[in-house]
Amino acid sequence: QHEQALADYDLALSVRPDFVEAWFNRGNLMLDLGRPDDALASYDNGLAISPGNLDLLNNRGSVLLTLDRADEALAAFDIVAAEAPDFADVHYNRGNALVKLKRPDEALAGYEQALTLNPDYAAAAYNRGNVLVGLRQNDEALASFDYAIRSRPDYAEAHHARSQALIQDAKYERAIADLEWLLAHGGYEHLKGDLHYARLHCCDWRDFDRSTADIIADVRAGKRVCHPFNFLAISGSPADQLKCAEIEAAHVFQVHAPVFTGTVRTDGKIRLGYVSGEFREQATAFLLVELIERHDKHRFEVVCFDNGFDDGGPTRKRLNVAFDSVVDISTMTDDEAVRAIADADIDILLNLNGYFGLARHGVFARRPAPIQVNYLGFPGTIGASCHDYIIGDPWVTPAADTAFYSERVITLPDCYQPNDSRRLVAETPSRAELGLPDNAFVFCSFNNNYKLTPEIFDVWMRILRTVEGSVLWLLEGNDAIARNLRREAAARGVAPERLVFGARIPPAHYLARYRAADLF
């Protein structure tokens, strides 16, 4: 009965304005009511009476975090931690403030201290796991989420975080268990899409038709049930894809006043800014590197805004040379990254992630450049007005579908996707080395397993039944693939051993083994 409680606190304070506990509890109530500014005023009134009150200081820090005033919050927590070093909550809160301030190593130390003081502190283990995910320490992150769930088996946030970390780690079968648990307990968006996507990665087609129809129906009803990237594998309808993107965009591209408010320059070189989290040994960079090298440096200045990391690989080394400058925005807040882009006076800012990978939606939402373009990483619509153009081609963005893009479509004459003519190809292995029969006709598809649907598999099995002595060579993205697809083959009258699987291998060897196939 929040309103009655508030009336009682106000009555008590009208009788006794120096009642510190009433100010403290009133502040807590304001937080529960979603009124952080009023909560802050209550804590400040209490601190004016009792300046050294640690409970007030700690809660004041928490409300400052809610108000995105992380520096002030950390200062409050530091005072409390100095006075009460055995207070587990304040170390946990310090960790939260340090996360917002992009100081992950210090945040980890805060969570570790909280867990040392209170080994059952499930929230500290959960937040430690989130930081470790950001530091690309997935094994340690999964151990943290496991710890949190052991401490609190019904901890939905930890189940969800673990499912996402498992998907990142391509441990899809384990992720499915968490996602099924979450669906049974409710409370998270994207769950239906995440579960369907994880099952597709395992070629687990249980309930495939019903699940597909259910997700499409929910998207049409305006529900946020599927990430737009995953939805591309579920629906081929451009209208449905636009709807899914618009639903997502309403959440991740929050409306901000545009940072760029000036006039477009007409002199000097055109300044291009490329934003991505994948400037490393990754598919986007493999496609992009020679394009960057071939830019006409007399006409263009080309800047890399890196939201990922430098892995030291050969592709990144080429990119470091090809770009005129590289700006690391991975540890910057959105406002800091936007200021860096605006300070570089970028004319055209290209989003190479879209709804894929280590994206920076908040940067594009603030519009630091006069022209913003969706390109390459996500060849679907963003569904947000902060992107002016998408670069496509007659097949990927057909003229008949332009009404289903929030961006204006720029159609390249042949293919929207560049590639690198300098990619290394290893020596061709023998069929025996690859586990292939010497005399068979080898059909091959090394697409990611989630792109394979029962409808296409039916066609392929019909071909194998027709072509005697042939085998189908596929990518084995995880342990479940061979088990599930061999069972599906047998159900379609094809001997399971006629499916051959290749593991993931380095790119030069991956390209070389195509030569052992007859038809891709």
Side-chain angles (χ1 to χ4, degrees):
Q1 300 177 40
H2 288 153
E3 294 305 324
Q4 183 59 51
L6 178 58
D8 286 342
Y9 287 135
D10 287 344
L11 179 59
L13 288 162
S14 71
V15 173
R16 190 175 134 203
D18 63 348
F19 193 171
V20 173
E21 189 176 13
W23 284 119
F24 176 73
N25 288 342
R26 188 182 188 280
N28 296 344
L29 176 60
M30 290 293 109
L31 272 183
D32 288 342
L33 291 172
R35 293 162 57 181
D37 290 306
D38 289 335
L40 185 61
S42 289
Y43 295 141
D44 284 342
N45 285 333
L47 283 165
I49 301 159
S50 177
N53 187 300
L54 298 182
D55 288 326
L56 279 166
L57 274 170
N58 186 53
N59 282 25
R60 183 178 189 274
S62 295
V63 78
L64 287 166
L65 265 187
T66 302
L67 293 167
D68 283 328
R69 292 161 62 180
D71 281 315
E72 296 170 74
L74 182 61
F77 297 140
D78 284 345
I79 294 169
V80 179
E83 293 292 324
D86 293 337
F87 186 16
D89 281 0
V90 77
H91 294 288
Y92 167 77
N93 288 336
R94 283 189 81 254
N96 294 343
L98 289 159
V99 166
K100 287 217 171 188
L101 291 168
K102 300 274 189 177
R103 292 157 62 180
D105 293 320
E106 294 172 80
L108 281 180
Y111 296 136
E112 293 287 355
Q113 184 64 17
L115 284 162
T116 299
L117 294 166
N118 178 4
D120 294 325
Y121 208 146
Y126 161 69
N127 280 9
R128 179 180 65 181
N130 287 331
V131 173
L132 289 164
V133 167
L135 293 171
R136 302 182 299 280
Q137 298 177 30
N138 252 30
D139 288 342
E140 293 87 345
L142 287 168
S144 253
F145 297 139
D146 291 345
Y147 185 113
I149 291 166
R150 282 196 303 272
S151 300
R152 202 172 113 198
D154 64 346
Y155 197 169
E157 291 90 343
H159 281 283
H160 185 258
R162 186 170 69 179
S163 74
Q164 302 308 300
L166 288 165
I167 287 171
Q168 277 188 27
D169 239 13
K171 295 173 180 172
Y172 296 103
E173 280 195 294
R174 283 190 62 196
I176 287 168
D178 271 327
L179 292 165
E180 287 175 339
W181 185 94
L182 284 160
L183 263 180
H185 292 78
Y188 273 90
E189 297 174 312
H190 289 159
L191 284 181
K192 287 182 181 178
D194 284 350
L195 178 57
H196 190 91
Y197 183 66
R199 284 177 172 169
L200 283 178
H201 269 285
C202 296
C203 294
D204 177 355
W205 297 330
R206 292 175 295 165
D207 211 19
F208 176 87
D209 290 335
R210 187 209 58 78
S211 175
T212 300
D214 191 28
I215 291 168
I216 292 171
D218 280 351
V219 166
R220 290 175 180 173
K223 297 178 182 178
R224 195 180 179 212
V225 295
C226 189
H227 192 281
F229 182 84
N230 299 352
F231 194 68
L232 293 181
I234 294 172
S235 170
S237 160
D240 289 341
Q241 290 171 5
L242 173 61
K243 180 70 173 177
C244 184
E246 288 175 335
I247 293 166
E248 188 70 13
H251 288 264
V252 301
F253 290 101
Q254 300 296 325
V255 176
H256 292 270
V259 171
F260 178 83
T261 56
T263 56
V264 179
R265 288 185 309 105
T266 58
D267 60 330
K269 294 180 182 180
I270 295 173
R271 294 195 179 107
L272 305 178
Y274 286 89
V275 181
S276 179
E278 279 65 47
F279 292 119
R280 59 184 191 278
E281 298 302 300
Q282 195 274 340
T284 303
F286 297 154
L287 299 177
L288 187 77
V289 59
E290 191 172 356
L291 173 69
I292 302 300
E293 291 171 337
R294 286 176 175 264
H295 273 308
D296 182 349
K297 296 303 179 67
H298 297 293
R299 297 175 59 204
F300 298 98
E301 184 176 329
V302 190
V303 183
C304 164
F305 293 99
D306 181 18
N307 190 49
F309 55 95
D310 186 339
D311 62 357
T315 305
R316 178 55 185 257
K317 287 176 181 174
R318 286 173 60 188
L319 285 167
N320 286 342
V321 172
F323 280 112
D324 291 297
S325 58
V326 175
V327 181
D328 182 1
I329 62 169
S330 64
T331 59
M332 294 183 187
T333 64
D334 285 342
D335 286 333
E336 290 168 342
V338 162
R339 180 50 49 202
I341 292 166
D343 287 347
D345 211 8
I346 296 299
D347 297 304
I348 303 172
L349 191 67
L350 294 106
N351 184 351
L352 298 178
N353 281 100
Y355 289 117
F356 165 79
L358 300 174
R360 286 301 289 267
H361 304 313
V363 169
F364 286 89
R366 288 164 171 80
R367 191 178 270 282
I371 298 172
Q372 300 192 155
V373 180
N374 169 22
Y375 179 49
L376 194 60
F378 178 76
T381 184
I382 297 292
S385 61
C386 56
H387 290 76
D388 304 296
Y389 299 96
I390 180 172
I391 298 174
D393 63 37
W395 295 272
V396 174
T397 53
D401 293 346
T402 54
F404 302 110
Y405 289 83
S406 61
E407 309 90 341
R408 182 178 174 182
V409 179
I410 297 175
T411 304
L412 297 183
D414 297 308
C415 180
Y416 87 106
Q417 187 183 90
N419 215 316
D420 178 18
S421 64
R422 294 169 53 190
R423 288 180 74 172
L424 297 175
V425 183
E427 290 295 316
T428 306
S430 69
R431 281 194 169 184
E433 291 174 300
L434 296 166
L436 294 166
D438 279 330
N439 299 321
F441 189 94
V442 177
F443 294 103
C444 166
S445 176
F446 287 148
N447 280 290
N448 272 312
N449 302 109
Y450 76 88
K451 299 180 183 181
L452 178 53
T453 62
E455 179 185 22
I456 294 299
F457 197 70
D458 287 342
V459 174
W460 288 355
M461 293 304 98
R462 190 169 74 241
I463 292 169
L464 287 192
R465 288 197 304 269
T466 304
V467 181
E468 291 185 15
S470 64
V471 297
L472 176 60
W473 193 19
L474 300 169
L475 182 68
E476 188 170 20
N478 59 72
D479 293 340
I481 296 295
R483 182 173 71 248
N484 286 337
L485 285 184
R486 284 185 170 133
R487 183 187 66 245
E488 295 286 347
R492 289 162 174 79
V494 174
E497 60 271 17
R498 292 181 67 187
L499 270 59
V500 182
F501 294 91
R504 292 187 179 278
I505 53 177
H509 297 279
Y510 169 83
L511 292 173
R513 72 181 175 186
Y514 276 107
R515 294 167 171 156
D518 292 301
L519 179 63
F520 170 71

